[in-house]
Amino acid sequence: MPPPLPTPPPPHPPLSDRVEELLAGPHPLPIVVAGDPVLRRPAEPYDGQLSSGQLERLIAAMRATMLAAPGVGLAAPQVGLALRLAVIEDPATVPDELRTARGRVPQPFRVLINPVYEAVGAARATFFEGCLSVPGWQAVVARHERVRLRAQDEEGRTLDEVFSGWPARIVQHETDHLDGTLYLDRAELRSLSSQQTLAERWAQPTPRLAARELGFTLPPAAD
Ligand code: NI
């Protein structure tokens, strides 16, 4: 007689159960780091799987986690939820020369649900960036300088807006998370630098010196 078939594993608990479990745990929420498959899977669209109260509490917990890190964006997969939801907020407390060179203007708190972006124009902006899920490192990434972002907000209202400068970088980075893409996938790997090296050597407004010293080329738009 053949051995009995193994019992199939239980299906994933519904999203609302996983959110309750997450919110019952430590705060700020633990941030998932690179190597966890949840960061590499396309997340599922948000389609009312949570009650409005749950969604509100999840967003509040994600915002607090982002601010505590500190970071300027956080996507749901980074707290272990494969859901197309991200929060962004950037007070942009940086010196004026960085603000000018990088377009690092303040970005008020926003909730992005089911975001998608497309390039507006061909200009690229090339700067060091990092990710809370890749702690301790940054690398140079060439991104669209302007993007049109379509999403819903936490009230279900349609968002259709053009972002430029650093906020455009943030929305591209966070939307990429929802497709299982990390900034390292788009980075110039020769630029990879520890936070300490970055502070000591590559704190200039642009990565031109880093390109020369580390041996990589920048697209023309970076000048
Ligand atoms: Ni990230």
Side-chain angles (χ1 to χ4, degrees), residues 47-82:
D47 187 22
Q49 298 95 320
L50 305 176
S51 71
S52 61
Q54 276 176 327
L55 181 63
E56 202 176 305
R57 286 185 290 124
L58 174 59
I59 288 167
M62 285 177 61
R63 183 185 190 188
T65 301
M66 167 180 69
L67 295 176
V72 296
L74 187 71
Q78 295 183 275
V79 294
L81 298 172

mmCIF file of all heavy atoms in Angstrom, residues 47-82:
data_model
loop_
_atom_site.group_PDB
_atom_site.id
_atom_site.type_symbol
_atom_site.label_atom_id
_atom_site.label_comp_id
_atom_site.label_asym_id
_atom_site.label_seq_id
_atom_site.Cartn_x
_atom_site.Cartn_y
_atom_site.Cartn_z
ATOM 1 N N ASP A 47 -7.053 45.598 -2.430
ATOM 2 C CA ASP A 47 -8.399 45.626 -2.983
ATOM 3 C C ASP A 47 -9.408 45.462 -1.851
ATOM 4 O O ASP A 47 -10.319 44.644 -1.927
ATOM 5 C CB ASP A 47 -8.517 44.487 -4.011
ATOM 6 C CG ASP A 47 -9.831 44.535 -4.769
ATOM 7 O OD1 ASP A 47 -10.446 45.612 -4.821
ATOM 8 O OD2 ASP A 47 -10.244 43.476 -5.294
ATOM 9 N N GLY A 48 -9.174 46.213 -0.774
ATOM 10 C CA GLY A 48 -10.108 46.160 0.350
ATOM 11 C C GLY A 48 -9.980 44.931 1.226
ATOM 12 O O GLY A 48 -10.935 44.579 1.924
ATOM 13 N N GLN A 49 -8.798 44.277 1.225
ATOM 14 C CA GLN A 49 -8.623 43.084 2.069
ATOM 15 C C GLN A 49 -8.646 43.410 3.564
ATOM 16 O O GLN A 49 -8.821 42.511 4.389
ATOM 17 C CB GLN A 49 -7.285 42.376 1.774
ATOM 18 C CG GLN A 49 -7.124 41.837 0.370
ATOM 19 C CD GLN A 49 -6.396 42.823 -0.531
ATOM 20 O OE1 GLN A 49 -6.640 44.020 -0.449
ATOM 21 N NE2 GLN A 49 -5.544 42.321 -1.396
ATOM 22 N N LEU A 50 -8.440 44.684 3.911
ATOM 23 C CA LEU A 50 -8.414 45.081 5.328
ATOM 24 C C LEU A 50 -9.599 45.993 5.613
ATOM 25 O O LEU A 50 -10.055 46.722 4.725
ATOM 26 C CB LEU A 50 -7.109 45.830 5.635
ATOM 27 C CG LEU A 50 -5.809 45.102 5.297
ATOM 28 C CD1 LEU A 50 -4.608 46.005 5.570
ATOM 29 C CD2 LEU A 50 -5.690 43.795 6.073
ATOM 30 N N SER A 51 -10.061 45.986 6.860
ATOM 31 C CA SER A 51 -11.090 46.960 7.241
ATOM 32 C C SER A 51 -10.433 48.333 7.253
ATOM 33 O O SER A 51 -9.202 48.452 7.327
ATOM 34 C CB SER A 51 -11.638 46.628 8.632
ATOM 35 O OG SER A 51 -10.656 46.922 9.607
ATOM 36 N N SER A 52 -11.240 49.392 7.214
ATOM 37 C CA SER A 52 -10.635 50.723 7.163
ATOM 38 C C SER A 52 -9.839 50.993 8.441
ATOM 39 O O SER A 52 -8.791 51.637 8.411
ATOM 40 C CB SER A 52 -11.691 51.796 6.919
ATOM 41 O OG SER A 52 -12.622 51.784 7.967
ATOM 42 N N GLY A 53 -10.303 50.465 9.563
ATOM 43 C CA GLY A 53 -9.568 50.633 10.821
ATOM 44 C C GLY A 53 -8.220 49.931 10.790
ATOM 45 O O GLY A 53 -7.208 50.465 11.262
ATOM 46 N N GLN A 54 -8.217 48.720 10.228
ATOM 47 C CA GLN A 54 -6.950 47.977 10.133
ATOM 48 C C GLN A 54 -5.960 48.699 9.223
ATOM 49 O O GLN A 54 -4.779 48.811 9.542
ATOM 50 C CB GLN A 54 -7.200 46.581 9.552
ATOM 51 C CG GLN A 54 -7.634 45.557 10.566
ATOM 52 C CD GLN A 54 -7.953 44.230 9.902
ATOM 53 O OE1 GLN A 54 -8.440 44.182 8.770
ATOM 54 N NE2 GLN A 54 -7.684 43.154 10.614
ATOM 55 N N LEU A 55 -6.475 49.159 8.087
ATOM 56 C CA LEU A 55 -5.606 49.858 7.144
ATOM 57 C C LEU A 55 -5.009 51.101 7.817
ATOM 58 O O LEU A 55 -3.811 51.374 7.711
ATOM 59 C CB LEU A 55 -6.389 50.248 5.884
ATOM 60 C CG LEU A 55 -5.585 50.966 4.793
ATOM 61 C CD1 LEU A 55 -4.479 50.062 4.240
ATOM 62 C CD2 LEU A 55 -6.508 51.424 3.656
ATOM 63 N N GLU A 56 -5.845 51.811 8.548
ATOM 64 C CA GLU A 56 -5.398 53.019 9.237
ATOM 65 C C GLU A 56 -4.305 52.704 10.265
ATOM 66 O O GLU A 56 -3.287 53.397 10.338
ATOM 67 C CB GLU A 56 -6.619 53.631 9.936
ATOM 68 C CG GLU A 56 -6.518 55.090 10.260
ATOM 69 C CD GLU A 56 -7.838 55.583 10.849
ATOM 70 O OE1 GLU A 56 -8.913 55.408 10.216
ATOM 71 O OE2 GLU A 56 -7.780 56.111 11.972
ATOM 72 N N ARG A 57 -4.514 51.630 11.021
ATOM 73 C CA ARG A 57 -3.514 51.274 12.041
ATOM 74 C C ARG A 57 -2.222 50.778 11.407
ATOM 75 O O ARG A 57 -1.123 51.054 11.896
ATOM 76 C CB ARG A 57 -4.089 50.213 12.997
ATOM 77 C CG ARG A 57 -5.112 50.803 13.960
ATOM 78 C CD ARG A 57 -5.591 49.787 14.987
ATOM 79 N NE ARG A 57 -6.420 48.750 14.370
ATOM 80 C CZ ARG A 57 -6.177 47.444 14.455
ATOM 81 N NH1 ARG A 57 -5.159 46.979 15.142
ATOM 82 N NH2 ARG A 57 -6.976 46.585 13.867
ATOM 83 N N LEU A 58 -2.349 50.051 10.295
ATOM 84 C CA LEU A 58 -1.152 49.579 9.589
ATOM 85 C C LEU A 58 -0.354 50.761 9.051
ATOM 86 O O LEU A 58 0.871 50.825 9.207
ATOM 87 C CB LEU A 58 -1.548 48.628 8.455
ATOM 88 C CG LEU A 58 -0.401 48.173 7.535
ATOM 89 C CD1 LEU A 58 0.697 47.443 8.316
ATOM 90 C CD2 LEU A 58 -0.943 47.271 6.405
ATOM 91 N N ILE A 59 -1.054 51.717 8.436
ATOM 92 C CA ILE A 59 -0.382 52.896 7.875
ATOM 93 C C ILE A 59 0.317 53.682 8.988
ATOM 94 O O ILE A 59 1.460 54.107 8.836
ATOM 95 C CB ILE A 59 -1.398 53.768 7.103
ATOM 96 C CG1 ILE A 59 -1.780 53.075 5.801
ATOM 97 C CG2 ILE A 59 -0.835 55.161 6.834
ATOM 98 C CD1 ILE A 59 -3.001 53.683 5.104
ATOM 99 N N ALA A 60 -0.365 53.846 10.125
ATOM 100 C CA ALA A 60 0.243 54.586 11.243
ATOM 101 C C ALA A 60 1.502 53.871 11.735
ATOM 102 O O ALA A 60 2.526 54.508 12.026
ATOM 103 C CB ALA A 60 -0.762 54.751 12.374
ATOM 104 N N ALA A 61 1.441 52.546 11.816
ATOM 105 C CA ALA A 61 2.607 51.776 12.289
ATOM 106 C C ALA A 61 3.745 51.853 11.276
ATOM 107 O O ALA A 61 4.921 51.959 11.651
ATOM 108 C CB ALA A 61 2.209 50.324 12.543
ATOM 109 N N MET A 62 3.407 51.829 9.984
ATOM 110 C CA MET A 62 4.457 51.929 8.956
ATOM 111 C C MET A 62 5.095 53.318 8.982
ATOM 112 O O MET A 62 6.309 53.459 8.835
ATOM 113 C CB MET A 62 3.885 51.620 7.565
ATOM 114 C CG MET A 62 3.639 50.127 7.352
ATOM 115 S SD MET A 62 2.882 49.759 5.737
ATOM 116 C CE MET A 62 4.128 50.367 4.597
ATOM 117 N N ARG A 63 4.268 54.337 9.164
ATOM 118 C CA ARG A 63 4.825 55.697 9.220
ATOM 119 C C ARG A 63 5.782 55.844 10.410
ATOM 120 O O ARG A 63 6.889 56.366 10.275
ATOM 121 C CB ARG A 63 3.693 56.725 9.322
ATOM 122 C CG ARG A 63 4.209 58.148 9.311
ATOM 123 C CD ARG A 63 3.111 59.164 9.529
ATOM 124 N NE ARG A 63 3.599 60.517 9.279
ATOM 125 C CZ ARG A 63 2.906 61.625 9.537
ATOM 126 N NH1 ARG A 63 1.681 61.523 10.022
ATOM 127 N NH2 ARG A 63 3.415 62.801 9.288
ATOM 128 N N ALA A 64 5.339 55.370 11.572
ATOM 129 C CA ALA A 64 6.188 55.466 12.772
ATOM 130 C C ALA A 64 7.484 54.688 12.574
ATOM 131 O O ALA A 64 8.564 55.123 13.001
ATOM 132 C CB ALA A 64 5.422 54.954 13.987
ATOM 133 N N THR A 65 7.402 53.547 11.911
ATOM 134 C CA THR A 65 8.586 52.714 11.663
ATOM 135 C C THR A 65 9.547 53.435 10.719
ATOM 136 O O THR A 65 10.759 53.458 10.946
ATOM 137 C CB THR A 65 8.146 51.354 11.080
ATOM 138 O OG1 THR A 65 7.269 50.720 12.029
ATOM 139 C CG2 THR A 65 9.336 50.452 10.794
ATOM 140 N N MET A 66 8.997 54.052 9.669
ATOM 141 C CA MET A 66 9.807 54.808 8.708
ATOM 142 C C MET A 66 10.524 55.966 9.406
ATOM 143 O O MET A 66 11.725 56.168 9.206
ATOM 144 C CB MET A 66 8.897 55.340 7.589
ATOM 145 C CG MET A 66 9.532 56.389 6.682
ATOM 146 S SD MET A 66 8.387 56.954 5.398
ATOM 147 C CE MET A 66 7.180 57.879 6.351
ATOM 148 N N LEU A 67 9.794 56.714 10.224
ATOM 149 C CA LEU A 67 10.376 57.887 10.873
ATOM 150 C C LEU A 67 11.430 57.478 11.906
ATOM 151 O O LEU A 67 12.433 58.155 12.080
ATOM 152 C CB LEU A 67 9.281 58.741 11.526
ATOM 153 C CG LEU A 67 8.278 59.371 10.558
ATOM 154 C CD1 LEU A 67 7.189 60.114 11.322
ATOM 155 C CD2 LEU A 67 8.967 60.321 9.573
ATOM 156 N N ALA A 68 11.186 56.346 12.583
ATOM 157 C CA ALA A 68 12.122 55.890 13.610
ATOM 158 C C ALA A 68 13.416 55.379 13.000
ATOM 159 O O ALA A 68 14.474 55.463 13.622
ATOM 160 C CB ALA A 68 11.474 54.806 14.458
ATOM 161 N N ALA A 69 13.355 54.868 11.780
ATOM 162 C CA ALA A 69 14.529 54.171 11.195
ATOM 163 C C ALA A 69 15.818 55.005 11.180
ATOM 164 O O ALA A 69 16.860 54.477 11.598
ATOM 165 C CB ALA A 69 14.163 53.623 9.822
ATOM 166 N N PRO A 70 15.937 56.242 10.733
ATOM 167 C CA PRO A 70 14.917 56.965 9.988
ATOM 168 C C PRO A 70 15.069 56.708 8.500
ATOM 169 O O PRO A 70 16.148 56.455 8.004
ATOM 170 C CB PRO A 70 15.267 58.430 10.303
ATOM 171 C CG PRO A 70 16.770 58.426 10.459
ATOM 172 C CD PRO A 70 17.145 57.040 10.953
ATOM 173 N N GLY A 71 13.921 56.822 7.791
ATOM 174 C CA GLY A 71 13.930 56.678 6.348
ATOM 175 C C GLY A 71 12.929 57.637 5.746
ATOM 176 O O GLY A 71 12.174 58.298 6.478
ATOM 177 N N VAL A 72 12.916 57.726 4.414
ATOM 178 C CA VAL A 72 12.004 58.646 3.728
ATOM 179 C C VAL A 72 10.926 57.892 2.956
ATOM 180 O O VAL A 72 10.122 58.503 2.253
ATOM 181 C CB VAL A 72 12.763 59.613 2.796
ATOM 182 C CG1 VAL A 72 13.683 60.509 3.632
ATOM 183 C CG2 VAL A 72 13.559 58.862 1.731
ATOM 184 N N GLY A 73 10.934 56.562 3.087
ATOM 185 C CA GLY A 73 9.904 55.752 2.443
ATOM 186 C C GLY A 73 9.945 54.363 3.039
ATOM 187 O O GLY A 73 10.991 53.927 3.537
ATOM 188 N N LEU A 74 8.792 53.694 3.033
ATOM 189 C CA LEU A 74 8.737 52.309 3.523
ATOM 190 C C LEU A 74 7.611 51.599 2.780
ATOM 191 O O LEU A 74 6.488 52.097 2.728
ATOM 192 C CB LEU A 74 8.473 52.287 5.040
ATOM 193 C CG LEU A 74 8.550 50.921 5.710
ATOM 194 C CD1 LEU A 74 9.999 50.411 5.774
ATOM 195 C CD2 LEU A 74 7.959 50.976 7.124
ATOM 196 N N ALA A 75 7.937 50.450 2.210
ATOM 197 C CA ALA A 75 6.955 49.664 1.465
ATOM 198 C C ALA A 75 6.533 48.462 2.317
ATOM 199 O O ALA A 75 7.330 47.943 3.107
ATOM 200 C CB ALA A 75 7.565 49.199 0.144
ATOM 201 N N ALA A 76 5.281 48.030 2.155
ATOM 202 C CA ALA A 76 4.732 46.955 3.001
ATOM 203 C C ALA A 76 5.599 45.683 2.996
ATOM 204 O O ALA A 76 5.754 45.060 4.056
ATOM 205 C CB ALA A 76 3.293 46.650 2.590
ATOM 206 N N PRO A 77 6.194 45.284 1.852
ATOM 207 C CA PRO A 77 7.047 44.084 1.913
ATOM 208 C C PRO A 77 8.205 44.233 2.907
ATOM 209 O O PRO A 77 8.696 43.242 3.444
ATOM 210 C CB PRO A 77 7.577 43.949 0.478
ATOM 211 C CG PRO A 77 6.516 44.598 -0.369
ATOM 212 C CD PRO A 77 6.018 45.753 0.463
ATOM 213 N N GLN A 78 8.602 45.471 3.196
ATOM 214 C CA GLN A 78 9.703 45.684 4.144
ATOM 215 C C GLN A 78 9.288 45.422 5.588
ATOM 216 O O GLN A 78 10.148 45.369 6.470
ATOM 217 C CB GLN A 78 10.244 47.110 4.028
ATOM 218 C CG GLN A 78 10.886 47.378 2.669
ATOM 219 C CD GLN A 78 11.461 48.777 2.626
ATOM 220 O OE1 GLN A 78 10.752 49.725 2.340
ATOM 221 N NE2 GLN A 78 12.738 48.907 2.936
ATOM 222 N N VAL A 79 7.985 45.301 5.830
ATOM 223 C CA VAL A 79 7.536 44.831 7.146
ATOM 224 C C VAL A 79 6.897 43.442 7.003
ATOM 225 O O VAL A 79 6.143 43.001 7.859
ATOM 226 C CB VAL A 79 6.589 45.839 7.851
ATOM 227 C CG1 VAL A 79 7.350 47.123 8.187
ATOM 228 C CG2 VAL A 79 5.356 46.159 7.016
ATOM 229 N N GLY A 80 7.220 42.768 5.893
ATOM 230 C CA GLY A 80 6.832 41.372 5.727
ATOM 231 C C GLY A 80 5.478 41.152 5.089
ATOM 232 O O GLY A 80 4.995 40.020 5.055
ATOM 233 N N LEU A 81 4.845 42.218 4.576
ATOM 234 C CA LEU A 81 3.517 42.072 3.973
ATOM 235 C C LEU A 81 3.620 42.270 2.458
ATOM 236 O O LEU A 81 4.014 43.349 1.995
ATOM 237 C CB LEU A 81 2.544 43.117 4.539
ATOM 238 C CG LEU A 81 2.264 43.055 6.041
ATOM 239 C CD1 LEU A 81 1.455 44.275 6.463
ATOM 240 C CD2 LEU A 81 1.528 41.764 6.398
ATOM 241 N N ALA A 82 3.234 41.243 1.701
ATOM 242 C CA ALA A 82 3.319 41.321 0.240
ATOM 243 C C ALA A 82 2.090 42.043 -0.306
ATOM 244 O O ALA A 82 1.215 41.459 -0.950
ATOM 245 C CB ALA A 82 3.449 39.911 -0.345
#
